[in-house]
């Protein structure tokens, strides 16, 4: 109890100081730096935030205070804490999320209990990444009327929106989500939408998120739940309406001038002043009763229920478009006004079904015979967009994954939707995609020109991969397509890895990064729809590819299939080959020759789980390459059957290479004696520029690490401290077998370089290994 007394007294005095700041702020922020430094730790979060500018002017950093706040309030170790550059932002962003989801009680700490402090409102400007989960309680809270200002702040600051472990939700929750997405994406700055771990996705909710991320919105149906229109939409419509009125006035002036010039061909042309007067007159001229009638007929029957924001009212975009269309046609032909009314009503019935039917919003079925998967201007273009058979060989979306099947509930009608701003990054992790959702995603991808990064990871695509490829192929035909990164990974591959690589690269030569990764080979691989040649037969145009990652499902690595990709990728800088088998000893040599000939810019080369035990010559050739800066041999069995001479050759080769910066050798059974030998890379006669060394998972024990450290210290002393070695990675080694020796080795190493290790339990790992044998 005695210990609690001073602490409570300190908290009381600090709270008193914080509460009195309101009246004294102007004078307090003018205090000398040494006095302000003593005051900052006594402030509440609200006052500390307001003191940032004053502290900066005084040359003071508040980072230690925000870090202590994290430790006291969050009581957890943040992930990647060594990479956090601004603890203020980190604290406020995490604080916002925890308060939103109800996992943090602001009464738990006096620094959070300020009557001027609104947790969500004052922390929202610092939130650049937000995760919504479970029943979307956070979306409901943010869409509430009392959080209008919070939502406005998020619209400006939020860049990444994540959904994790979602559950099925009712219609009212979906409407709140629609409102939130419309504000944050369509009228905000969110650039990335990611979805994680959704084993049984709610199809309606999934496609709703996808379609709104792509910028599509059925305003008439989706938001009928909300009574007030979106004020931001009104501002855009008003600007468009004014522009359209000006265009009408200009055309009216032009028609009137042509009429007068026709009556008097010998007359002189109008002066500019007279033309301006005509334009102003047309803009201010009241509309005729017939024009007003046409406008009313074009909009009165259209459901007008866009987003229900409370800060403005507007007419929906569709009604405005119908109104302007009616005005244009009425001006041209005044007699068929009744026909225009019938056409407008018919179009209204086509575009807007029952306003309460959200399912119809998400899964609109094409009702016309000439409306297929894509909204194209001609049937020929639609047919070309659905097939790979023209310039790229893949497969059309038919059969089980058939995008062409009309009337399916999975097709989202682009024709009946308004188009808004869309995100540039879409990520789907561990979310099973059915045929219907794949067809919808393919439909959205076909015109998602703002998309720059697409990540599809463990979605159980199967033969639906052809449907996704069909949408991507259609997207590639857009001249303003921005797609630069594609990453596809799954358990089973439905087509060979190299064929998928060539399909994507032939359609998108402008890609910078392509990653294809599969765990297992599907026994039904190759049963693709008939009538389409293999992608391996298609010529690949010269590409902009800079990074290529391929994880084979235990497939043989045939250089003849990879060679066309390498030849087309002159700008390739990173290549990673994972889990490939070499069918013969010559394949690796052919690959190295191809890399040297075709990819002079290659800087990083990685092999993972590729048996290189019998390829010592090729390994040495790679290590002496004068261009490569980073080489990775991960779990490649380098020393499985090697001799002492091979290790010496590796060391001498690296010592002579002045371009290699990073060497990663995890999982190669180095052991203690080989690790100690590697210290000679930094000997006095070495010209190596090696900065990073990774020896994780190599059965290294504490005594071997200590001996390596002593030898390294000796080499550094001989070189007068001139050494470029900066990073050593030691994950998953046997350092727990002698904690005292390991601690001594690590302390001495940290005086030389940055050491990254973990508290790995080697005995438990060995027991797990035995249990699965």
């Amino acid at each position: 109890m005695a210990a609690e007394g001073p602490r409570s007294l300190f908290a009381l005095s600090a709270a008193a100081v914080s509460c009195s700041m309101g009246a004294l702020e102007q004078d307090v922020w003018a205090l000398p730096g040494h006095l302000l430094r003593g005051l900052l730790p006594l402030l509440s979060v609200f006052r500390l935030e307001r003191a940032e500018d004053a502290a900066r002017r005084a040359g003071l950093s508040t980072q230690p205070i925000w870090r202590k706040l994290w430790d006291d309030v969050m009581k957890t170790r943040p992930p990647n804490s060594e990479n956090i550059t601004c603890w203020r932002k980190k604290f406020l962003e995490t604080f916002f999320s925890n308060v939103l989801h109800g996992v943090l009680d602001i009464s738990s700490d006096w620094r959070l209990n300020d009557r001027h402090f609104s947790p969500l409102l004052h922390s929202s400007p610092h939130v650049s990444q937000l995760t919504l989960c479970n029943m979307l309680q956070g979306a409901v809270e943010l869409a509430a009327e009392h959080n209008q200002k919070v939502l406005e702040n998020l619209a400006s600051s939020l860049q990444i929106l994540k959904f994790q472990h979602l559950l099925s939700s009712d219609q009212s929750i979906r409407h709140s989500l629609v409102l939130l997405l419309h504000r944050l994406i369509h009228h905000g700055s969110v650039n990335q939408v990611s979805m994680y771990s959704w084993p049984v996705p709610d199809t309606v909710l999934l496609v709703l998120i996808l379609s709104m991320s792509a910028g599509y919105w059925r305003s008439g149906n989706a938001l009928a739940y909300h009574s007030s229109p979106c004020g931001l939409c009104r501002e855009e419509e008003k600007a468009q309406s004014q522009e359209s009125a000006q265009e009408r006035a200009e055309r009216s002036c032009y028609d009137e001038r042509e009429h007068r010039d026709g009556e008097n061909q010998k007359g002189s042309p109008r002066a500019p002043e007279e033309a301006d007067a005509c334009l102003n007159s047309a803009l201010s001229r009241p509309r005729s009763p017939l024009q007003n009638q046409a406008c009313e007929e074009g909009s009165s029957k259209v459901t007008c229920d866009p987003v229900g924001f409370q800060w403005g009212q507007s007419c929906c975009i569709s009604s405005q478009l119908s109104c302007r269309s009616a005005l244009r046609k009425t001006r041209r032909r005044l007699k068929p006004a009744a026909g225009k009314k019938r056409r407008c009503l018919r179009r209204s019935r086509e575009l807007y079904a029952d306003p309460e039917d959200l399912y119809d919003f998400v899964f609109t079925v094409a009702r016309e015979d000439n409306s297929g998967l894509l909204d194209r201007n001609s049937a020929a273009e639609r047919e070309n967009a659905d097939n790979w058979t023209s310039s790229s060989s893949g497969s059309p979306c038919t059969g089980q994954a058939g995008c062409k099947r009309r009337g399916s509930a999975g097709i989202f009608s682009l024709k009946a939707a308004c188009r808004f701003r869309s995100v540039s990054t879409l990520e789907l992790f561990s979310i099973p995609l059915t045929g219907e959702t794949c067809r919808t995603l393919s439909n959205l991808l076909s015109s998602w020109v703002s998309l720059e990064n697409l990540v599809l990871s463990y979605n159980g695509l199967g033969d639906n991969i052809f449907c996704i490829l069909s949408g991507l192929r259609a997207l590639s035909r857009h001249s303003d397509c921005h797609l630069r990164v594609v990453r596809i990974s799954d358990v089973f591959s439905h087509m060979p890895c190299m064929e998928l690589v060539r399909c994507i690269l032939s359609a998108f030569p402008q890609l910078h990064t392509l990653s294809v990764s599969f765990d297992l080979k599907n026994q039904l691989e190759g049963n693709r729809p008939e009538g389409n040649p293999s992608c391996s037969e298609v010529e690949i145009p010269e590409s902009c590819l800079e990074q290529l990652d391929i994880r084979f499902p235990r497939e043989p690595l045939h250089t003849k299939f990879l060679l066309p990709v390498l030849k087309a990728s002159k700008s390739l800088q990173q290549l990673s080959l994972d889990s490939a088998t070499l069918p013969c000893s010559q394949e690796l040599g052919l690959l190295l020759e191809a890399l040297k000939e075709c990819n002079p810019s290659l800087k990083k080369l990685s092999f993972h789980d590729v048996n290189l035990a019998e390829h010592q010559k090729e390994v040495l050739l790679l290590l002496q390459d004068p261009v490569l800066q980073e080489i990775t041999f991960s779990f490649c069995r380098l020393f499985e059957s090697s001799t002492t001479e091979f290790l010496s050759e590796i060391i001498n080769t690296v010592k002579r290479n002045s371009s290699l910066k990073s060497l990663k050798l995890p999982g190669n059974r180095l052991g203690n004696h080989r690790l100690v030998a590697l210290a000679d890379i930094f000997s006095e006669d070495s010209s190596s520029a090696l900065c990073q060394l990774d020896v994780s998972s190599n059965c290294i024990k504490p005594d071997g690490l200590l001996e390596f450290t002593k030898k390294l210290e000796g080499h550094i002393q001989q070189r007068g401290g001139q050494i470029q070695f900066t990073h050593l990675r030691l994950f998953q080694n046997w350092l727990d077998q002698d904690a005292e020796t390991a601690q001594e080795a690590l302390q001495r190493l940290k005086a030389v370089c940055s050491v990254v290790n973990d508290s790995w339990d080697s005995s438990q790992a060995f027991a797990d290994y035995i249990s699965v044998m």
Side-chain angles (χ1 to χ4, degrees):
M1 189 69 182
E4 289 294 329
R7 183 183 303 175
S8 302
L9 182 61
F10 172 78
L12 182 62
S13 62
V17 170
S18 179
C19 291
S20 65
M21 292 295 296
L24 301 175
E25 276 185 0
Q26 298 299 325
D27 296 331
V28 168
W29 302 150
L31 289 173
H34 66 283
L35 295 179
L36 189 59
R37 181 184 292 106
L39 178 63
L40 290 176
L42 304 178
L43 301 180
S44 66
V45 171
F46 176 73
R47 302 298 177 187
L48 182 61
E49 174 69 13
R50 293 171 67 89
E52 283 292 330
D53 291 338
R56 191 179 299 110
R57 287 193 299 268
L60 302 177
S61 173
T62 61
Q63 292 298 306
I65 303 174
W66 289 108
R67 175 61 200 263
K68 188 176 188 307
L69 266 171
W70 177 281
D71 294 337
D72 294 346
V73 175
M74 305 302 175
K75 297 181 173 64
T76 59
R77 180 182 179 182
N80 301 320
S81 58
E82 64 275 4
N83 296 327
I84 297 176
T85 57
C86 181
W87 281 98
R88 171 195 180 196
K89 173 179 171 53
K90 181 66 177 177
F91 175 85
L92 291 173
E93 187 172 54
T94 307
F95 174 77
F96 178 92
S97 180
N98 288 348
V99 171
L100 180 66
H101 293 101
V103 297
L104 179 62
D105 182 11
I106 61 172
S107 63
S108 61
D109 194 287
W110 65 267
R111 288 163 291 191
L112 310 178
N113 260 330
D114 191 310
R115 62 186 180 87
H116 301 287
F117 182 54
S118 175
L120 294 181
L121 180 61
H122 289 101
S123 58
S124 55
H126 301 274
V127 179
S128 59
Q129 177 175 310
L130 178 63
T131 300
L132 301 176
C133 53
N134 300 331
M135 292 294 294
L136 293 169
Q137 302 94 325
V140 175
E141 176 67 17
L142 292 175
E145 182 179 356
H146 61 272
N147 280 324
Q148 295 173 22
K149 185 60 179 176
V150 174
L151 200 54
E152 287 184 13
N153 290 341
L154 289 178
S156 300
S157 65
L158 196 64
Q159 299 290 324
I160 302 174
L161 184 59
K162 295 183 178 181
F163 298 91
Q164 192 168 11
H165 305 304
L166 293 186
L167 304 173
S168 298
S169 57
D170 58 31
Q171 189 172 359
S172 63
I173 294 177
R174 291 172 187 160
H175 281 299
S176 296
L177 178 63
V178 169
L179 183 147
L180 183 71
L181 293 176
H182 180 67
R183 187 65 180 90
L184 296 180
I185 297 177
H186 298 167
H187 293 300
S189 56
V190 170
N191 289 318
Q192 175 177 327
V193 170
S194 303
M195 287 182 269
Y196 298 82
S197 304
W198 202 356
V200 186
D202 181 329
T203 307
V204 175
L205 189 58
L206 172 60
V207 179
L208 188 152
I209 296 173
L210 290 175
S211 58
M212 296 199 71
S213 299
Y216 287 104
W217 173 29
R218 276 288 299 274
S219 60
N221 289 356
L223 304 173
Y225 180 82
H226 302 281
S227 58
S228 301
C230 170
L232 296 176
C233 287
R234 173 169 176 75
E235 293 177 4
E236 296 177 2
E237 294 161 14
K238 184 178 179 181
Q240 294 175 1
S241 179
Q242 291 175 350
E243 184 177 344
S244 178
Q246 184 173 356
E247 291 177 359
R248 290 197 304 270
E250 291 173 351
R251 283 195 296 267
S252 177
C253 276
Y254 179 77
D255 294 342
E256 184 178 351
R257 184 172 57 192
E258 280 192 340
H259 176 70
R260 293 186 179 181
D261 289 347
E263 290 181 350
N264 186 11
Q265 295 181 358
K266 296 182 180 181
S268 60
R270 290 188 170 200
E273 294 81 1
E274 188 176 355
D276 292 341
C278 175
L279 176 61
N280 294 332
S281 174
L283 288 172
S284 59
R285 182 184 304 152
R287 291 183 296 182
S288 65
L290 192 54
Q291 286 176 318
N292 286 326
Q293 180 184 0
C295 182
E296 291 171 2
E297 291 169 350
S299 60
S300 60
K301 298 298 181 180
V302 177
T303 306
C304 184
D305 290 309
V307 175
F309 292 105
Q310 302 296 323
W311 51 81
Q313 295 185 353
S314 70
C315 187
C316 67
I317 289 180
S318 296
S319 63
Q320 291 281 353
L321 293 174
S322 299
C323 176
R324 291 199 293 272
S325 177
L327 283 175
R328 287 195 299 269
K329 293 192 175 183
T330 302
R331 184 178 62 251
R332 296 172 188 169
R333 300 181 301 174
L334 297 180
K335 288 186 178 181
K340 171 62 188 175
K341 176 179 180 180
R342 287 194 297 271
R343 287 193 299 273
C344 186
L345 293 179
R346 184 168 61 250
R347 179 169 177 78
S348 298
R349 285 194 296 270
E350 283 182 0
L351 296 184
Y352 300 96
D354 182 8
E356 296 297 327
D357 190 1
L358 185 63
Y359 192 85
D360 183 66
F361 152 60
V362 175
F363 296 113
T364 303
V365 178
R367 294 179 174 85
E368 299 178 2
D369 293 338
N370 61 348
S371 60
L373 171 66
L374 306 174
D375 188 11
R376 295 287 184 262
N377 294 329
S378 67
E381 290 180 351
R382 287 197 302 273
E383 184 176 357
N384 290 334
D386 286 340
N387 291 282
W388 283 80
T389 56
S390 56
S391 58
S392 171
S393 58
S395 303
C397 251
T398 56
Q400 182 179 349
C403 285
K404 284 184 172 181
R405 186 174 61 187
R406 295 174 184 172
S408 169
I411 296 178
F412 177 85
S413 176
L414 307 188
K415 182 180 291 186
C418 299
R419 191 68 187 266
F420 287 87
R421 177 185 177 273
S422 53
V423 302
S424 59
T425 298
L426 176 67
E427 298 180 340
L428 303 180
F429 295 93
S430 300
I431 300 178
L433 298 179
T434 64
E436 290 184 351
T437 51
C438 281
R439 287 191 290 276
T440 302
L441 178 57
S442 175
N443 195 13
L444 295 171
L445 288 174
S446 65
S447 59
W448 200 331
V449 293
S450 71
L451 193 65
E452 298 177 12
N453 303 275
L454 175 64
V455 180
L456 300 176
S457 181
Y458 292 94
N459 306 120
L461 293 178
D463 60 353
N464 287 316
I465 185 66
F466 300 115
C467 189
I468 301 299
L469 293 177
S470 179
L472 289 175
R473 182 62 186 173
L475 175 63
S476 70
R477 294 191 180 94
H478 290 267
S479 59
D480 54 346
C481 171
H482 288 79
L483 192 63
R484 297 296 180 268
V485 177
V486 173
R487 300 182 186 274
I488 297 178
S489 58
D490 220 321
V491 176
F492 293 102
S493 65
H494 200 76
M495 60 190 302
C497 285
M498 288 311 307
E499 185 172 343
L500 181 57
V501 168
R502 296 184 65 158
C503 281
I504 297 175
L505 200 56
S506 62
F508 294 95
Q510 73 274 20
L511 279 185
H512 290 167
T513 299
L514 176 58
S515 176
V516 173
S517 173
F518 295 102
D519 296 333
L520 301 171
K521 187 175 182 179
N522 193 337
Q523 297 301 321
L524 301 178
E525 180 184 288
N527 294 343
R528 54 183 59 82
E530 298 180 359
N532 293 276
S534 170
C535 280
S536 59
E537 302 173 7
V538 178
E539 183 177 353
I540 304 175
E542 185 172 346
S543 72
C544 302
L545 196 66
E546 297 179 355
Q547 179 177 346
L548 175 61
D549 301 330
I550 306 174
R551 184 156 67 93
F552 299 85
R554 300 297 173 186
E555 289 181 5
L557 173 59
H558 294 290
T559 307
K560 64 179 181 179
F561 296 134
L562 182 58
L563 186 58
V565 175
L566 298 178
K567 285 184 176 180
S569 308
K570 302 294 186 182
S571 303
L572 192 66
Q573 298 182 17
Q574 300 182 45
L575 175 63
S576 174
L577 302 176
D578 188 343
S579 302
T581 57
L582 298 172
C584 61
S585 58
Q586 290 79 17
E587 285 293 332
L588 185 58
L590 293 174
L591 175 62
L592 299 188
E593 290 179 8
L595 291 175
K596 186 176 181 179
E597 178 184 350
C598 305
N599 308 105
S601 301
L602 191 67
K603 299 292 189 299
K604 298 181 180 181
L605 181 61
S606 173
F607 291 92
H608 175 77
D609 199 11
V610 179
N611 189 355
L612 298 179
E614 305 299 328
H615 299 276
Q616 298 180 7
K617 177 183 176 181
E618 287 77 11
V619 168
L620 294 174
L621 287 174
L622 285 173
L623 291 174
Q624 68 184 20
D625 189 287
V627 178
L628 289 175
Q629 296 181 2
E630 180 178 308
I631 299 177
T632 300
F633 298 116
S634 175
F635 294 89
C636 291
R637 311 178 196 176
L638 283 183
F639 306 104
E640 186 174 272
S641 57
S642 67
T643 61
T644 306
E645 288 75 14
F646 178 55
L647 179 62
S648 300
E649 289 176 336
I650 287 179
I651 294 172
N652 291 329
T653 301
V654 175
K655 286 170 64 174
R656 294 191 298 267
N657 192 334
S658 59
S659 62
L660 188 63
K661 308 290 184 184
S662 175
L663 179 60
K664 299 181 179 180
L665 303 170
N668 283 288
R669 306 180 185 180
L670 279 173
N672 282 354
H673 66 285
R674 291 192 180 97
L675 174 68
V676 174
L678 286 179
D680 288 336
I681 293 175
F682 308 100
S683 63
E684 188 176 7
D685 60 339
S686 173
S687 58
S688 171
L690 197 67
C691 299
Q692 301 181 20
L693 180 63
D694 188 346
V695 291
S696 302
S697 304
N698 269 297
C699 308
I700 297 171
K701 298 180 180 180
D703 56 338
L705 182 62
L706 182 59
E707 188 177 350
F708 168 81
T709 303
K710 293 178 179 178
K711 193 172 184 181
L712 181 63
E713 290 174 338
H715 289 321
I716 294 175
Q717 186 176 3
Q718 290 176 358
R719 300 177 62 170
Q722 300 297 322
I723 188 173
Q724 300 185 37
F725 185 49
T726 57
H727 290 79
L728 178 67
R729 296 175 67 87
L730 288 166
F731 289 113
Q732 296 185 357
N733 280 298
W734 298 351
L735 302 183
D736 59 330
Q737 294 188 359
D738 185 349
E740 185 177 350
T741 303
Q743 187 65 24
E744 180 187 353
L746 290 174
Q747 286 180 351
R748 295 175 69 165
L749 270 176
K750 289 178 181 178
V752 176
C753 61
S754 174
V755 181
V756 184
N757 67 312
D758 55 1
S759 55
W760 189 60
D761 188 347
S762 60
S763 59
Q764 182 60 45
F766 184 74
D768 294 341
Y769 175 75
I770 294 296
S771 65
V772 297
M773 286 183 64

